[in-house]
Amino acid sequence: MKLSVNHAVRRRATGAVLAALLLGGGVVGCSKGAGDQSPALTPAAAVAKAAKRTEDITSLRYRMTGTVPGEGRVSGEAAMSMKPLAMSMKMTAEDQATDGPVEIRLVGKAMYIGGGLKAAKEMDGKSWIKFDMSALGADKELNTDQLGGGQADRNPATESTFLTGSKNVKKVGSETVAGVRTTHYRGTVTLDDFRKSLKGQDKATREKREKALDQYTKMGVRTLTMDMWIDGADHTKQFRMRGTADKGPLDMTVTFLDYNKPVTVTAPPAKDTVDLAGMMKGVQQG
């Protein structure tokens, strides 16, 4: 088994993790409520009400498509549970030479990345790489920043609240999204304005949203154009985020399939898995 090959697989898979987890960051809860929102709600109030709903999300399932800075076009589908934390997603990097979707599973304090058949041929038939958070020094808290993800340890609904910092939210119209009647809203928001809008929030909410905001600051994004499609039950059915980062354009659309339903994620078979921590230990001893 070649360490250089594993690094290549890890690099390719980590790109998919970043795309999936970063832009799963646009996720907000969906519901099966029908009909447009109450006409009595102003656009700003409608967006604020939908943002408030994100605080109660315990699990969700969604699909995504778009462009990630530095990675190109991506698409995928994911399911996530917040408590206990668990995740399963399949991502395809359409502009990269891969042998198919990359699958990511988060189980307990371990993240598993499946590199596909090509990776298996280069890793003695093993198609999964295991990143054990405890063995990699993240036993106090799940810290996927070590893998380039940086999003798996928090509710991915948070980024949807950015639109509450916009000063020009407007109603675009009524549209049907994935069979659900919605009201479409759009606005632009600078990251500075959103940060200022957090002053009136409670400490826990403010810290969570500031943490989400920091990743976009690090990307070099200063202004976002955001769209939200909100259903009759005041949940967001679809979300789009556009902006310019240091490494290129950001443009992701996330459509929500369900939420607050049981999510079960299992680890891949041990016989198909390479333990990165064990491998690194062997290299150091060697």
Side-chain angles (χ1 to χ4, degrees):
M1 188 180 305
K2 298 180 180 178
L3 180 61
S4 61
V5 170
N6 290 326
H7 276 310
V9 173
R10 180 186 177 191
R11 175 168 48 81
R12 185 177 72 224
T14 297
V17 173
L18 177 60
L21 299 181
L22 170 65
L23 295 155
V27 175
V28 288
C30 67
S31 80
K32 295 185 178 180
D36 298 335
Q37 289 189 300
S38 168
L41 287 176
T42 66
V47 168
K49 193 170 185 178
K52 182 65 176 177
R53 290 276 192 169
T54 66
E55 301 300 324
D56 300 324
I57 295 174
T58 59
S59 64
L60 45 85
R61 188 167 63 93
Y62 57 92
R63 61 174 176 259
M64 67 193 78
T65 183
T67 302
V68 180
E71 299 296 332
R73 294 175 299 158
V74 298
S75 61
E77 187 166 323
M80 177 176 285
S81 169
M82 285 65 180
K83 291 183 180 181
L85 182 61
M87 176 188 68
S88 175
M89 62 176 69
K90 290 184 178 180
M91 291 293 298
T92 299
E94 299 175 20
D95 292 332
Q96 297 184 26
T98 63
D99 58 334
V102 172
E103 184 173 355
I104 304 106
R105 297 182 192 176
L106 185 63
V107 183
K109 288 186 176 292
M111 178 176 282
Y112 299 85
I113 300 179
L117 296 176
K118 183 177 180 180
K121 292 179 180 179
E122 298 172 335
M123 296 194 301
D124 295 342
K126 298 182 184 293
S127 55
W128 290 88
I129 299 176
K130 176 183 178 181
F131 298 87
D132 188 321
M133 298 296 103
S134 298
L136 292 174
D139 53 326
K140 293 184 178 179
E141 64 178 71
L142 185 61
N143 181 10
T144 51
D145 284 333
Q146 295 182 348
L147 305 179
Q151 286 288 302
D153 61 339
R154 65 178 185 263
N155 186 332
T158 305
E159 279 77 1
S160 68
T161 66
F162 286 10
L163 190 53
T164 61
S166 174
K167 297 178 180 179
N168 62 355
V169 180
K170 63 181 181 180
K171 177 180 176 180
V172 177
S174 298
E175 300 173 18
T176 298
V177 176
V180 175
R181 188 71 173 174
T182 69
T183 303
H184 180 185
Y185 297 95
R186 177 181 297 150
T188 58
V189 58
T190 68
L191 301 195
D192 287 342
D193 283 343
F194 179 69
R195 195 180 297 276
K196 292 176 183 177
S197 74
L198 298 178
K199 293 181 179 180
Q201 301 290 338
D202 62 85
K203 182 178 179 181
T205 299
R206 184 177 66 253
E207 289 180 348
K208 180 170 61 175
R209 295 181 181 180
E210 285 179 342
K211 183 179 179 181
L213 185 65
D214 287 344
Q215 65 171 333
Y216 290 92
T217 301
K218 292 176 182 178
M219 289 169 60
V221 175
R222 294 178 175 81
T223 302
L224 289 167
T225 297
M226 303 182 70
D227 292 76
M228 293 175 70
W229 287 261
I230 303 175
D231 69 16
D234 301 309
H235 288 105
T236 301
K237 179 63 178 175
Q238 187 166 276
F239 179 88
R240 186 181 183 188
M241 176 183 291
R242 289 171 286 164
T244 301
D246 292 339
K247 293 185 179 181
L250 164 67
D251 186 350
M252 285 297 297
T253 297
V254 181
T255 304
F256 312 102
L257 308 177
D258 61 47
Y259 77 110
N260 291 349
K261 293 184 178 181
V263 171
T264 301
V265 183
T266 58
K271 65 180 181 63
D272 298 329
T273 303
V274 174
D275 189 330
L276 179 66
M279 184 181 68
M280 294 295 289
K281 183 178 180 180
V283 170
Q284 292 172 353
Q285 292 177 344

Short mmCIF file of all heavy atoms in Angstrom, two decimals, residues 136-166:
data_model
loop_
_atom_site.label_atom_id
_atom_site.label_comp_id
_atom_site.label_asym_id
_atom_site.label_seq_id
_atom_site.Cartn_x
_atom_site.Cartn_y
_atom_site.Cartn_z
N LEU A 136 -6.53 11.06 16.04
CA LEU A 136 -5.88 12.20 15.39
C LEU A 136 -5.84 13.43 16.29
O LEU A 136 -5.57 14.53 15.86
CB LEU A 136 -6.62 12.54 14.09
CG LEU A 136 -6.50 11.49 12.99
CD1 LEU A 136 -7.38 11.86 11.80
CD2 LEU A 136 -5.05 11.34 12.54
N GLY A 137 -6.16 13.23 17.59
CA GLY A 137 -6.02 14.32 18.55
C GLY A 137 -7.24 15.20 18.67
O GLY A 137 -7.15 16.32 19.16
N ALA A 138 -8.41 14.72 18.26
CA ALA A 138 -9.62 15.53 18.36
C ALA A 138 -10.64 14.85 19.27
O ALA A 138 -11.83 14.88 19.05
CB ALA A 138 -10.23 15.75 16.99
N ASP A 139 -10.13 14.20 20.35
CA ASP A 139 -11.01 13.44 21.21
C ASP A 139 -11.88 14.31 22.10
O ASP A 139 -12.90 13.87 22.62
CB ASP A 139 -10.20 12.46 22.07
CG ASP A 139 -9.09 13.16 22.83
OD1 ASP A 139 -8.52 14.12 22.29
OD2 ASP A 139 -8.78 12.73 23.96
N LYS A 140 -11.50 15.57 22.29
CA LYS A 140 -12.30 16.44 23.15
C LYS A 140 -13.56 16.92 22.44
O LYS A 140 -14.57 17.14 23.05
CB LYS A 140 -11.46 17.63 23.61
CG LYS A 140 -10.31 17.24 24.55
CD LYS A 140 -9.57 18.46 25.05
CE LYS A 140 -8.46 18.06 26.01
NZ LYS A 140 -7.71 19.24 26.49
N GLU A 141 -13.47 17.10 21.13
CA GLU A 141 -14.64 17.48 20.35
C GLU A 141 -14.39 17.10 18.90
O GLU A 141 -13.25 16.99 18.45
CB GLU A 141 -14.90 18.99 20.43
CG GLU A 141 -13.79 19.85 19.85
CD GLU A 141 -14.13 21.32 19.92
OE1 GLU A 141 -14.14 21.89 21.00
OE2 GLU A 141 -14.37 21.90 18.84
N LEU A 142 -15.45 16.83 18.19
CA LEU A 142 -15.30 16.48 16.78
C LEU A 142 -14.80 17.68 16.02
O LEU A 142 -15.42 18.73 16.02
CB LEU A 142 -16.64 16.02 16.21
CG LEU A 142 -16.60 15.50 14.79
CD1 LEU A 142 -15.67 14.28 14.73
CD2 LEU A 142 -17.99 15.09 14.35
N ASN A 143 -13.64 17.56 15.39
CA ASN A 143 -13.01 18.70 14.74
C ASN A 143 -12.62 18.33 13.32
O ASN A 143 -11.50 17.94 13.04
CB ASN A 143 -11.76 19.13 15.53
CG ASN A 143 -11.09 20.34 14.90
OD1 ASN A 143 -11.65 20.97 14.01
ND2 ASN A 143 -9.91 20.66 15.38
N THR A 144 -13.58 18.43 12.41
CA THR A 144 -13.31 18.03 11.03
C THR A 144 -12.51 19.08 10.26
O THR A 144 -12.20 18.88 9.10
CB THR A 144 -14.63 17.78 10.29
OG1 THR A 144 -15.49 18.89 10.46
CG2 THR A 144 -15.30 16.53 10.83
N ASP A 145 -12.12 20.18 10.91
CA ASP A 145 -11.22 21.13 10.26
C ASP A 145 -9.93 20.41 9.87
O ASP A 145 -9.26 20.78 8.91
CB ASP A 145 -10.88 22.29 11.20
CG ASP A 145 -12.03 23.27 11.31
OD1 ASP A 145 -12.80 23.36 10.34
OD2 ASP A 145 -12.14 23.94 12.34
N GLN A 146 -9.55 19.38 10.62
CA GLN A 146 -8.33 18.63 10.32
C GLN A 146 -8.44 17.93 8.97
O GLN A 146 -7.45 17.58 8.37
CB GLN A 146 -8.08 17.59 11.41
CG GLN A 146 -7.78 18.22 12.77
CD GLN A 146 -7.50 17.18 13.82
OE1 GLN A 146 -7.73 16.00 13.62
NE2 GLN A 146 -6.98 17.62 14.95
N LEU A 147 -9.66 17.71 8.51
CA LEU A 147 -9.87 17.02 7.24
C LEU A 147 -10.25 17.97 6.12
O LEU A 147 -10.46 17.56 5.00
CB LEU A 147 -10.97 15.97 7.40
CG LEU A 147 -10.75 14.95 8.51
CD1 LEU A 147 -11.92 14.00 8.55
CD2 LEU A 147 -9.45 14.20 8.31
N GLY A 148 -10.42 19.27 6.45
CA GLY A 148 -10.85 20.21 5.43
C GLY A 148 -12.35 20.37 5.37
O GLY A 148 -12.86 21.13 4.55
N GLY A 149 -13.07 19.68 6.24
CA GLY A 149 -14.52 19.78 6.22
C GLY A 149 -15.00 21.00 6.96
O GLY A 149 -15.54 21.94 6.40
N GLY A 150 -14.81 20.98 8.28
CA GLY A 150 -15.11 22.15 9.08
C GLY A 150 -16.57 22.44 9.30
O GLY A 150 -16.91 23.48 9.86
N GLN A 151 -17.47 21.53 8.89
CA GLN A 151 -18.88 21.81 9.05
C GLN A 151 -19.65 20.70 9.72
O GLN A 151 -20.78 20.90 10.16
CB GLN A 151 -19.54 22.07 7.69
CG GLN A 151 -19.19 23.41 7.11
CD GLN A 151 -19.88 24.53 7.87
OE1 GLN A 151 -21.08 24.56 7.98
NE2 GLN A 151 -19.10 25.42 8.43
N ALA A 152 -19.08 19.53 9.83
CA ALA A 152 -19.87 18.38 10.26
C ALA A 152 -20.26 18.43 11.72
O ALA A 152 -21.10 17.67 12.15
CB ALA A 152 -19.10 17.09 9.98
N ASP A 153 -19.65 19.31 12.51
CA ASP A 153 -19.92 19.30 13.94
C ASP A 153 -20.97 20.32 14.34
O ASP A 153 -21.11 20.64 15.51
CB ASP A 153 -18.62 19.54 14.71
CG ASP A 153 -17.99 20.89 14.37
OD1 ASP A 153 -18.30 21.42 13.30
OD2 ASP A 153 -17.20 21.39 15.19
N ARG A 154 -21.75 20.84 13.40
CA ARG A 154 -22.80 21.77 13.80
C ARG A 154 -23.98 21.69 12.84
O ARG A 154 -23.87 21.19 11.73
CB ARG A 154 -22.28 23.19 13.90
CG ARG A 154 -21.82 23.79 12.59
CD ARG A 154 -21.37 25.23 12.86
NE ARG A 154 -21.01 25.94 11.67
CZ ARG A 154 -19.76 26.07 11.24
NH1 ARG A 154 -18.78 25.50 11.90
NH2 ARG A 154 -19.50 26.76 10.15
N ASN A 155 -25.09 22.20 13.32
CA ASN A 155 -26.32 22.19 12.53
C ASN A 155 -26.11 22.97 11.24
O ASN A 155 -25.82 24.16 11.27
CB ASN A 155 -27.42 22.83 13.37
CG ASN A 155 -28.77 22.75 12.70
OD1 ASN A 155 -28.87 22.71 11.49
ND2 ASN A 155 -29.81 22.73 13.50
N PRO A 156 -26.25 22.32 10.08
CA PRO A 156 -25.97 23.01 8.82
C PRO A 156 -27.07 23.98 8.40
O PRO A 156 -27.01 24.53 7.31
CB PRO A 156 -25.84 21.86 7.82
CG PRO A 156 -26.71 20.81 8.37
CD PRO A 156 -26.59 20.91 9.86
N ALA A 157 -28.05 24.20 9.25
CA ALA A 157 -29.09 25.18 8.94
C ALA A 157 -28.60 26.60 9.12
O ALA A 157 -29.23 27.55 8.67
CB ALA A 157 -30.31 24.94 9.82
N THR A 158 -27.47 26.76 9.80
CA THR A 158 -27.06 28.08 10.25
C THR A 158 -26.90 29.09 9.11
O THR A 158 -27.30 30.25 9.22
CB THR A 158 -25.75 27.98 11.04
OG1 THR A 158 -25.94 27.05 12.12
CG2 THR A 158 -25.36 29.33 11.62
N GLU A 159 -26.29 28.67 7.99
CA GLU A 159 -26.01 29.62 6.93
C GLU A 159 -27.28 30.23 6.33
O GLU A 159 -27.25 31.32 5.77
CB GLU A 159 -25.18 28.96 5.83
CG GLU A 159 -23.70 28.88 6.13
CD GLU A 159 -23.35 27.78 7.11
OE1 GLU A 159 -24.27 27.05 7.55
OE2 GLU A 159 -22.17 27.63 7.43
N SER A 160 -28.39 29.54 6.46
CA SER A 160 -29.64 30.09 5.92
C SER A 160 -30.05 31.37 6.62
O SER A 160 -30.79 32.18 6.08
CB SER A 160 -30.76 29.06 6.05
OG SER A 160 -31.09 28.86 7.41
N THR A 161 -29.56 31.56 7.84
CA THR A 161 -29.95 32.75 8.60
C THR A 161 -29.23 34.01 8.12
O THR A 161 -29.57 35.10 8.55
CB THR A 161 -29.66 32.53 10.10
OG1 THR A 161 -28.24 32.42 10.30
CG2 THR A 161 -30.35 31.28 10.61
N PHE A 162 -28.24 33.87 7.25
CA PHE A 162 -27.50 35.03 6.76
C PHE A 162 -28.42 36.07 6.13
O PHE A 162 -28.18 37.26 6.21
CB PHE A 162 -26.44 34.62 5.73
CG PHE A 162 -25.24 33.92 6.31
CD1 PHE A 162 -25.21 33.50 7.63
CD2 PHE A 162 -24.13 33.67 5.52
CE1 PHE A 162 -24.11 32.86 8.15
CE2 PHE A 162 -23.02 33.02 6.02
CZ PHE A 162 -23.01 32.62 7.34
N LEU A 163 -29.47 35.59 5.47
CA LEU A 163 -30.34 36.52 4.76
C LEU A 163 -31.05 37.48 5.71
O LEU A 163 -31.51 38.54 5.30
CB LEU A 163 -31.37 35.74 3.93
CG LEU A 163 -32.21 36.55 2.93
CD1 LEU A 163 -31.34 37.39 2.01
CD2 LEU A 163 -33.12 35.63 2.13
N THR A 164 -31.12 37.14 7.00
CA THR A 164 -31.73 38.05 7.96
C THR A 164 -30.92 39.32 8.13
O THR A 164 -31.42 40.31 8.66
CB THR A 164 -31.91 37.38 9.33
OG1 THR A 164 -30.62 37.00 9.85
CG2 THR A 164 -32.79 36.13 9.22
N GLY A 165 -29.67 39.31 7.68
CA GLY A 165 -28.84 40.51 7.77
C GLY A 165 -28.95 41.41 6.55
O GLY A 165 -28.32 42.47 6.48
N SER A 166 -29.77 41.01 5.59
CA SER A 166 -29.92 41.82 4.37
C SER A 166 -30.81 43.02 4.62
O SER A 166 -31.79 42.96 5.36
CB SER A 166 -30.54 40.95 3.26
OG SER A 166 -30.82 41.73 2.12
#
